[in-house]
């Protein structure tokens, strides 16, 4: 019985390796193309290894992308932090410190996650201009606000899964709302923060639509710069792929280093419901 | 007194978010709804009342029928595919194999890259040429591996072409469902498995009869998250296939009608239809979630 | 109590927005907050990569030399990847935040879209003071004017009706370069029988590009022009015949056309994988970048049936109504229309000058032949590239074309084209 079990487990490496290959194929094509020279790019030879290592593609991509890299960080970091903090507070209030109508407010906030962003571009730009919030601050604000629904959802579900007794005990000891949040919930919220921060970091980093309409040329984040590397007519796919890899590097690193916490965070509570 | 202060405090802390969402979501939707009933065409705003004519036009449009069919195919293949694949991967990784962390990161990484980037690679991989000197991408791979029967015209296939775009989306998002299921599986108490094993259940039966029902909430959240993504899918399709009709979806139609054609009224109407479809999908979900919570 | 609560809530609202804004880096100044001065000019275009970006840079140098005090802000956004520059522009214009000057295809795309919405200013005074009326082709002026007002400054000219071919493949199969639609079909039959891919085609917009050249080749320039002025009846049997030609041409195309960009399709010809490709003359710049030699690796001719006709498109710049830096914008337009500016831009971009007095020796072999044709041929406008139809009309044609490619029904295609002309074109 036991040995049979072991054997069946080792078998699993076959499907897993096959799946790994499937996941890596597109990555291989990106990498190989990124090292090819322009004349080498041909659909027919997409699987071929590059005939030499054209690092020049990466240098070219880097010179074009580097100015906007800082913009991306300046926008993404506050956007992820602030919307996570707001989500955590909202989640706490909606799950554990309800006011009358909280159960109506929650779905209304949640619904914001689902709007097709293309259809609200015009009022968004108009509103931001009216506030004088163009450029990076405006873009950051947009990411914060459109991040609120999913961050609120994640934290609310996590906090809702915690036993009410935890709070009751603290209340007996005379803790007020902020005290409970600060000393009881916040310390055990780290896993959820990781999930939400990763999610927000990735989506703000990869966003193109808001960035392109809300920022001007000196403030463009990396996605717009990447898009601009391609002209309207001739596209140098080798440089484009090299640039794509550079642009994806920060999010890839986030996943590689925080991947395990991501899982732990999902485990901790964003799951329920 | 204490309670009163706190009641006040919680409203104080949540009101900025409520206000922001009210403006950035509901006021903008309201604006969009108003435009969808207008005759606005061209760059000058024109709020002339047009009743429901924009909607009637869209529902009568053969292009929109293609869009609905494509969205249904895409959603079906993408959601079911991601959930199945994610579940299988999670079950395999749940066995406590060596190298679990490596595989896990590998399956997660596509999520980190934007569709705009991966779309182009998928466009090459799924090149539809099947014979002759022009075969490339997956098809030539199949040919070299002696798997010719697998070669197909991918997204050039009439009607079902959309399914291959969904394949690219599955590649991107199945890591996420895997993570969800893996987390779900790990949260199931070990005692439950052991109890079942003692009762003589084999591994398969355990998953079928014990794990699967317990994972229902995970499946539900995955359904909602993937479902709303597939209704909004835009960049991926444009990156893989450009804007062409056999692979058209409502989001692309809306974009073209609004920003290429400047039919703002009609574009807003498509946006509203999308939004209503999403609402139909998620309102029961929210109600269900709140109800089950109330029962607990 | 309620009043107090309300007051507090409003206060909170303001505070929270301010707070959120402070959280973002405040180091960068928003352009909208700057006082309008003549010290800068924001120019919006979709020239971000390759020769076009290099050309814009070259023109910028000319501009800088003439206007050292004005800062040039290059607000270029590429067209690719799901979004296009014009959507960004449309959104900015809607929001009342126009750039000083922007790029647009000369013709109905500009007139139908921006003139109709009173977003751009007439430039007749500029044309007179700069003497452009004498150096720009006479046939071009009506295409960029409405009611006697000229609305844009064209910088370059591209030709749409070019048939690119692989000379080696044609010779090996004993095929002459076709000059009529029938000759073309016969040639492609021969090639097909010999196992050669006759026609290379790409994604949907390249199919619209093919459509406009087939319409031109089948109807002739006068009837083709009439399609856009309402003089040619879209429901006429001549148009039916033209659409039949188009349907026939599609049968010679590669099966994977939907997956190819125009680059991929054009590359098939120079690599000897296909015999013909119909594409604008920017393809020539691409062939050069691939290191190919004119007349050896690729040859060119007017598309079948369009000999002696130059189907053009042109990039041009406009002056925004309410431009934040009007004087600087006018200075930019003067550069864009000048001989120096155009001579700096066009050889790099791979197009010819809109002016007729540019120095020929600056250009390569193909472009020199195009300059000769531009000066002598009958000029008609391109559909795909915004000359003859406004954006709304073009979008409707595009939808009809997409449906046609899917179902192959010429009758419904034609009636959809008739309907499109009535709803967004001049047909009543």
């Amino acid at each position: 019985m036991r040995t049979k079990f072991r054997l069946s487990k080792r078998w699993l490496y076959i499907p897993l390796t096959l799946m790994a290959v499937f996941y890596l194929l597109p990555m291989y094509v990106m990498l190989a193309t990124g090292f090819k020279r322009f004349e080498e790019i041909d659909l027919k030879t997409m699987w071929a290894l590059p005939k030499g290592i054209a690092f020049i593609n990466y240098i070219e991509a880097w010179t074009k992308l580097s100015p906007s890299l800082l913009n991306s960080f300046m926008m993404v970091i506050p956007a992820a932090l602030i919307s996570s903090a707001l989500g955590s507070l909202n989640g706490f209030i909606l799950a554990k410190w309800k006011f009358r109508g909280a159960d109506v407010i929650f779905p209304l906030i949640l619904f914001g996650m689902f709007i097709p962003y293309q259809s609200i571009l015009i009022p968004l730009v108009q509103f931001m201009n009216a506030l004088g919030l163009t450029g990076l601050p405006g873009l950051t604000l947009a990411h914060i606000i459109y991040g609120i629904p999913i961050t609120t959802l994640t934290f609310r579900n996590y906090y809702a899964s915690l036993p009410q007794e935890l709070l009751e005990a603290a209340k007996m000891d005379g803790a007020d709302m902020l005290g409970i949040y600060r000393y009881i919930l916040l310390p055990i919220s780290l896993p959820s923060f990781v999930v939400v921060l990763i999610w927000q970091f990735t989506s703000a980093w990869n966003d193109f639509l808001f960035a392109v309409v809300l920022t001007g040329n000196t403030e463009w984040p990396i996605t717009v710069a990447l898009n601009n590397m391609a002209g309207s007519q001739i596209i140098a796919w080798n440089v484009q792929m090299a640039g794509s890899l550079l642009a994806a590097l920060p999010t890839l690193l986030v996943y590689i280093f925080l991947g395990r916490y991501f899982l732990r965070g999902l485990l901790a509570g964003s799951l329920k419901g | 007194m204490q309670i009163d202060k706190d009641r006040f405090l919680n409203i104080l802390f949540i009101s900025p978010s409520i206000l922001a969402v009210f403006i950035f979501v509901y006021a903008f939707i309201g604006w969009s709804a108003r435009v969808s009933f207008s005759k606005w065409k061209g760059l000058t705003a024109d709020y002339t009342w047009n009743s429901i004519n924009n909607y009637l036009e869209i529902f009568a449009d053969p292009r929109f029928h293609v869009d609905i069919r494509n969205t249904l195919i895409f959603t079906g293949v993408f959601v079911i595919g991601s959930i199945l694949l994610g579940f299988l991967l999670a079950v395999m990784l749940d066995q406590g194999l060596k190298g679990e962390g490596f595989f896990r990161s590998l399956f997660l990484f596509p999520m980190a890259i934007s569709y705009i980037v991966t779309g182009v690679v998928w466009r090459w991989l799924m090149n539809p040429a099947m014979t002759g000197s022009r075969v490339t991408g997956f098809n030539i791979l199949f040919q070299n591996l002696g798997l010719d029967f697998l070669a197909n015209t991918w997204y050039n296939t009439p009607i079902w072409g959309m399914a291959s775009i969904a394949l690219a989306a599955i590649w991107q998002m199945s890591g996420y469902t895997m993570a969800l299921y893996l987390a779900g599986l790990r949260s199931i108490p070990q005692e439950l498995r052991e109890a079942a094993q003692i009762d003589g259940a084999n591994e398969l039966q355990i998953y079928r009869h014990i794990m699967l029902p317990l994972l229902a909430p995970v499946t539900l959240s995955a359904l909602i998250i993937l479902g709303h993504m597939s209704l909004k899918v835009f960049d991926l399709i444009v990156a893989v296939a450009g804007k062409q009709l056999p692979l058209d979806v409502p989001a692309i139609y809306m974009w073209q009608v609004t920003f290429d054609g400047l039919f703002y009224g009609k574009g807003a109407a498509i946006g509203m239809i999308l939004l209503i479809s999403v609402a139909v999908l998620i309102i029961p979900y929210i109600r269900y979630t709140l109800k089950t919570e109330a029962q607990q | 109590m309620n009043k107090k609560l309300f007051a507090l809530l409003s206060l909170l609202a303001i505070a929270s927005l301010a707070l959120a804004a402070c959280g973002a880096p405040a180091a960068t100044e928003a352009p909208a907050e700057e006082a309008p001065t003549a010290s800068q000019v924001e120019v919006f275009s979709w020239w971000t990569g390759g020769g076009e970006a290099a050309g814009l840079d070259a023109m910028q140098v000319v501009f800088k030399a003439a206007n050292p005090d004005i800062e040039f802000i290059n607000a270029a956004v590429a067209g690719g990847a799901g979004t296009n520059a014009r959507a960004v522009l449309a959104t900015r214009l809607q929001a009342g935040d126009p750039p000083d000057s922007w790029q647009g295809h000369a013709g109905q795309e500009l007139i139908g879209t921006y003139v109709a919405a009173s977003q751009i200013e007439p430039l007749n005074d500029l044309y007179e003071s700069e003497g452009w009326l004498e150096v720009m082709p006479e046939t071009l002026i009506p295409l960029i004017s409405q009611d006697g007002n000229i609305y844009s400054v064209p910088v370059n000219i591209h030709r749409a009706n070019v048939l690119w071919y692989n000379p080696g493949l044609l010779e090996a199969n004993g095929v002459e370069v076709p000059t009529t639609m029938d000759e073309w079909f016969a040639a492609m039959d021969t090639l097909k029988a010999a196992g050669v891919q006759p026609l290379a085609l790409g994604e949907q917009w390249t199919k619209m590009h093919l459509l406009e050249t087939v319409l031109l080749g089948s109807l002739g320039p006068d009837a083709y022009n009439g399609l856009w002025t309402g003089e040619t009846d879209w429901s006429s049997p001549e148009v039916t015949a033209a659409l039949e030609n188009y349907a026939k041409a599609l049968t010679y195309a590669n099966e994977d056309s939907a997956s190819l960009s125009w680059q991929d399709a054009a590359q098939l010809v120079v690599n000897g994988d296909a015999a013909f490709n119909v594409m604008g003359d920017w393809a020539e710049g691409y062939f050069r970048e691939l290191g190919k030699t004119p007349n050896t690796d690729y040859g060119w001719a007017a598309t079948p049936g369009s000999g002696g006709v130059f189907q053009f498109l042109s990039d041009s710049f406009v002056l925004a109504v309410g431009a934040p830096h009007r004087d600087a914008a006018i200075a930019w337009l003067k550069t864009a229309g000048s001989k120096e500016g155009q001579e700096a831009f066009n050889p790099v971009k791979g197009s010819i000058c809109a002016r007729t007095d540019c120095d020929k020796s600056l250009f390569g072999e193909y472009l020199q032949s195009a300059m000769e044709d531009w000066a002598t041929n009958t000029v008609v406008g391109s559909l795909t590239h915004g000359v003859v139809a406004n954006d709304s009309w073009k979008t409707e044609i595009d939808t009809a074309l997409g449906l046609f490619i899917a179902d192959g029904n010429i009758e419904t295609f034609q009636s959809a084209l008739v309907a499109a002309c009535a709803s967004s074109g001049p047909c009543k």
Side-chain angles (χ1 to χ4, degrees):
Chain A
M1 180 76 201
R2 202 90 231 152
T3 44
K4 194 178 158 202
F5 202 61
R6 274 281 149 81
L7 192 71
S8 73
K9 273 190 180 176
R10 218 173 290 153
W11 257 96
L12 288 174
Y13 281 112
I14 296 173
L16 276 176
T17 309
L18 282 177
M19 284 317 294
V21 171
F22 168 69
Y23 276 83
L24 284 173
L25 278 179
M27 203 62 187
Y28 164 77
V29 173
M30 265 173 87
L31 268 172
T33 309
F35 282 117
K36 285 178 184 178
R37 281 173 298 116
F38 184 72
E39 313 86 72
E40 271 183 77
I41 311 286
D42 187 340
L43 276 179
K44 278 202 294 192
T45 56
M46 61 186 270
W47 293 114
L49 280 167
K51 285 178 187 144
I53 303 274
F55 257 120
I56 185 89
N57 299 338
Y58 282 86
I59 294 166
E60 194 183 333
W62 173 253
T63 48
K64 284 182 180 162
L65 293 180
S66 54
S68 54
L69 196 66
L70 190 65
N71 291 334
S72 268
F73 277 115
M74 292 211 304
M75 174 270 292
V76 168
I77 293 172
L81 286 176
I82 296 176
S83 66
S84 305
L86 285 174
S88 163
L89 255 174
N90 295 343
F92 166 61
I93 293 166
L94 291 173
K96 290 292 177 213
W97 214 275
K98 291 187 184 177
F99 51 91
R100 195 187 301 177
D103 282 343
V104 178
I105 290 292
F106 172 57
L108 284 177
I109 290 181
L110 189 55
F111 192 68
M113 213 169 118
F114 302 99
I115 54 169
Y117 297 130
Q118 294 99 336
S119 67
I120 48 101
L121 275 188
I122 292 166
L124 176 67
V125 176
Q126 263 166 345
F127 188 75
M128 289 296 192
N129 280 350
L131 289 183
L133 270 175
T134 44
L136 276 185
L139 180 61
T140 313
L141 182 64
H143 281 301
I144 291 172
I145 291 172
Y146 289 108
I148 286 176
I150 192 156
T151 57
T152 303
L153 169 75
T154 308
F155 282 106
R156 200 208 80 106
N157 284 352
Y158 174 49
Y159 295 143
S161 72
L162 298 174
Q164 194 67 32
E165 295 84 58
L166 203 65
L167 278 78
E168 297 302 333
K171 265 190 216 169
M172 298 287 249
D173 294 343
D176 60 356
M177 184 186 110
L178 281 181
I180 291 177
Y181 175 70
R182 168 72 187 80
Y183 293 106
I184 299 192
L185 290 185
L186 208 54
I188 53 172
S189 301
L190 193 65
S192 290
F193 266 106
V194 173
V195 173
V196 161
L197 281 172
I198 289 184
W199 189 276
Q200 284 302 102
F201 186 93
T202 315
S203 68
W205 186 274
N206 286 338
D207 163 73
F208 175 79
L209 194 61
F210 285 165
V212 80
V213 295
L214 287 175
T215 54
N217 67 330
T218 53
E219 299 170 304
W220 274 326
I222 199 151
T223 40
V224 181
L226 181 65
N227 177 61
N228 275 355
M229 274 169 45
S232 64
Q233 291 182 346
I234 298 165
I235 299 177
W237 286 115
N238 49 348
V239 184
Q240 195 71 17
M241 287 297 160
S244 300
L245 282 172
L246 288 179
L249 215 54
T251 43
L252 277 177
L253 290 177
V254 165
Y255 270 81
I256 289 169
F257 289 113
L258 294 179
R260 89 177 58 206
Y261 300 102
F262 185 64
L263 203 73
R264 223 175 272 171
L266 285 176
L267 182 73
S270 56
L271 276 177
K272 255 196 89 252
Chain B
M1 189 58 216
Q2 172 78 46
I3 305 246
D4 269 348
K5 193 194 105 198
D6 279 349
R7 171 165 301 156
F8 180 70
L9 259 184
N10 60 4
I11 294 177
L12 182 109
F13 277 106
I14 203 171
S15 52
S17 297
I18 294 177
L19 184 87
V21 170
F22 177 76
I23 293 172
F24 282 77
V25 176
Y26 293 96
F28 291 177
I29 290 176
W31 178 87
S32 207
R34 178 62 190 88
V35 173
S36 77
F37 292 110
S38 76
K39 287 187 178 165
W40 186 347
K41 173 180 171 182
L43 275 178
T44 322
D46 171 9
Y47 292 100
T48 316
W49 185 252
N50 196 21
S51 180
I52 55 165
N53 285 325
N54 289 324
Y55 291 89
L56 293 179
E57 236 176 79
I58 291 161
F59 283 117
D61 190 340
R63 178 167 171 179
F64 196 65
H65 301 160
V66 174
D67 291 358
I68 293 176
R69 185 197 70 201
N70 283 342
T71 304
L72 289 177
I73 293 177
F74 182 88
T75 308
V77 175
F78 169 58
V79 172
I80 296 173
S82 304
I83 286 184
L84 279 182
L85 187 61
F87 181 68
L88 281 177
L89 291 174
V91 168
M92 288 196 275
L93 289 183
D94 189 38
Q95 305 301 322
L97 295 171
K98 248 188 207 158
E100 182 198 319
F102 166 76
F103 283 113
R104 215 173 45 204
S105 312
L106 190 73
F107 298 146
L108 265 179
F109 93 86
M111 255 185 94
I113 313 173
S114 89
Y115 279 143
I116 295 177
V117 175
T118 56
V120 175
V121 177
W122 280 96
R123 167 203 192 115
W124 294 352
L125 288 172
M126 300 194 294
N127 187 290
M130 282 180 66
T131 47
S133 62
R134 307 269 328 288
V135 192
T136 179
F138 282 141
N139 283 352
I140 203 162
L141 216 58
F142 292 148
Q143 221 173 59
N144 293 344
L145 294 170
L147 299 167
D148 296 45
F149 62 94
L150 280 176
N152 67 80
T153 52
W154 300 105
Y155 55 93
N156 246 11
T157 315
I159 299 176
W160 288 97
M162 207 63 200
S164 55
I165 308 242
L167 183 71
I170 293 174
W171 176 79
Q172 195 117 11
M173 287 308 293
S174 52
Y176 175 68
T177 47
M178 174 211 69
L180 279 179
Y181 277 117
L182 198 53
L185 286 170
R186 297 275 154 90
S187 71
I188 293 171
Q190 197 59 33
E191 301 84 59
L192 266 179
R193 292 188 203 210
E194 282 160 12
Q197 265 168 354
I198 291 166
D199 289 347
N202 66 27
E203 199 82 345
L204 204 72
Q205 283 169 325
I206 294 177
Y207 278 107
R208 170 74 188 77
H209 294 290
I210 296 176
M211 307 293 210
L212 220 51
L214 283 173
L215 289 175
V218 179
T219 310
L220 194 63
S221 356
L223 267 176
I224 293 302
I225 291 191
L226 299 176
H228 99 273
M229 279 181 155
S230 74
L231 282 180
K232 293 202 289 190
V233 64
F234 178 76
D235 336 12
L236 175 67
I237 297 179
V238 175
V240 175
K243 293 171 185 162
Q244 30 199 349
L245 194 114
L247 300 165
D248 200 43
V249 290
I252 294 180
Y253 191 17
M254 175 170 74
W255 182 272
Q256 276 196 301
V257 158
T258 311
F259 293 114
D260 296 345
L262 305 172
F263 297 96
Y264 282 89
K266 209 172 155 191
I270 300 173
M272 291 309 293
I273 295 171
L274 266 180
L275 200 64
I276 293 165
S277 333
V278 172
V280 167
L281 186 82
I282 68 151
I283 286 171
Y285 161 77
I286 294 174
R287 287 186 57 181
Y288 168 83
T289 318
L290 290 176
K291 215 192 281 169
T292 42
E293 259 173 30
Q295 278 164 1
Q296 280 166 3
Chain C
M1 176 62 205
N2 264 344
K3 249 187 196 168
K4 262 189 194 163
L5 189 72
F6 180 77
L8 196 90
L9 276 180
S10 352
L11 199 76
L12 258 176
I14 295 160
S16 67
L17 284 172
L19 200 78
C22 291
T28 37
E29 267 295 294
E33 286 162 9
E34 284 162 24
T37 55
S39 63
Q40 54 169 257
V41 58
E42 186 185 13
V43 176
F44 185 95
S45 73
W46 56 80
W47 286 331
T48 60
E52 41 197 26
L56 183 60
D57 287 343
M59 201 153 51
Q60 211 175 307
V61 171
V62 175
F63 175 74
K64 272 269 158 203
N67 308 279
D69 306 335
I70 305 178
E71 186 195 354
F72 184 92
I73 298 177
N74 179 3
V77 173
T83 7
N84 57 48
R86 286 194 301 143
V88 176
L89 181 62
T91 307
R92 285 187 61 175
L93 293 176
Q94 291 295 345
D97 173 30
D100 295 304
S101 177
W102 64 84
Q103 176 194 11
H105 284 131
Q108 285 304 315
E109 181 183 303
L110 279 179
I111 293 166
T113 306
Y114 305 117
V115 175
S118 315
Q119 297 277 10
I120 52 179
E121 286 191 28
L123 301 169
N124 296 35
D125 293 349
L126 200 57
Y127 268 74
E128 264 161 43
S129 68
E130 297 293 303
W132 290 339
L133 289 169
E134 285 79 55
V135 292
M136 303 261 183
E138 257 177 81
T139 42
L140 182 67
I141 301 299
L143 286 160
I144 56 176
S145 317
Q146 169 132 317
D147 304 330
N149 290 323
I150 310 173
Y151 282 100
S152 68
V153 181
V155 173
N156 67 348
I157 300 294
H158 272 299
R159 184 174 195 170
N161 61 325
V162 187
L163 179 72
W164 305 98
Y165 58 86
N166 184 303
L169 277 180
L170 259 52
E171 203 175 317
N173 292 285
V175 171
E176 294 282 310
V177 178
T179 56
T180 66
M181 294 303 292
D182 290 335
E183 278 177 37
W184 193 30
F185 292 143
M188 293 202 287
D189 283 330
T190 312
L191 291 160
K192 204 175 186 177
V196 176
Q197 175 65 51
L199 178 63
L201 201 57
E203 57 192 311
Q204 189 163 320
W205 76 261
T206 71
K207 290 173 181 142
M208 189 195 270
H209 189 107
L210 179 67
L211 173 67
E212 71 181 39
T213 61
V214 171
L215 282 174
L216 173 63
S218 310
L219 295 168
D222 292 340
Y224 173 82
N225 278 334
L227 288 173
W228 314 111
T229 56
E231 284 154 27
T232 305
D233 183 1
W234 279 89
S235 61
S236 65
E238 287 79 19
V239 174
T240 315
L243 295 179
E244 278 162 359
N245 276 340
Y246 177 64
K248 189 166 184 191
L250 287 181
T251 62
Y252 296 100
N254 41 315
E255 58 180 356
D256 60 345
S257 64
S259 68
L260 303 188
S261 66
W262 75 265
Q263 269 173 261
D264 301 329
Q267 199 180 18
L268 294 181
V269 171
V270 286
N271 285 0
D273 289 320
F276 297 111
N277 176 233
V278 172
M279 188 37 63
D281 58 8
W282 46 89
E284 214 259 344
Y286 175 54
F287 297 152
R288 281 177 178 278
E289 261 188 69
L290 288 172
K292 304 291 178 182
T293 323
N295 289 322
T296 319
D297 296 312
Y298 60 94
W300 61 87
T303 53
S306 73
V309 183
F310 195 110
Q311 191 174 28
F312 89 103
L313 58 119
S314 165
D315 294 300
S316 62
F317 283 92
V318 301
L319 176 61
V321 168
H325 318 97
R326 195 170 182 278
D327 293 340
I330 290 173
W332 160 249
L333 292 177
K334 282 181 181 165
T335 301
S338 69
K339 184 166 184 284
E340 274 174 300
Q342 300 205 353
E343 282 179 349
F345 178 80
N346 286 299
V348 187
K349 150 91 168 150
S351 48
I352 61 174
C353 296
R355 296 171 69 108
T356 47
D357 58 353
C358 279
D359 181 0
K360 263 194 182 176
S361 65
L362 293 169
F363 295 85
E365 187 180 353
Y366 166 77
L367 291 174
Q368 288 192 6
S369 81
M371 287 167 96
E372 267 159 42
D373 288 347
W374 176 240
T376 54
N377 283 358
T378 310
V379 170
V380 300
S382 156
L383 160 67
T384 317
H385 308 283
V387 183
V388 290
N390 62 50
D391 285 337
S392 304
W393 192 3
K394 190 179 127 189
T395 305
E396 290 190 62
I397 294 175
D398 188 45
T399 298
L401 175 64
L403 290 165
F404 171 68
I405 292 165
D407 69 8
N409 187 330
I410 293 178
E411 210 176 307
T412 41
F413 186 28
Q414 190 167 11
S415 53
L417 291 174
V418 172
C421 183
S423 102
S424 295
C427 310
K428 283 290 167 289

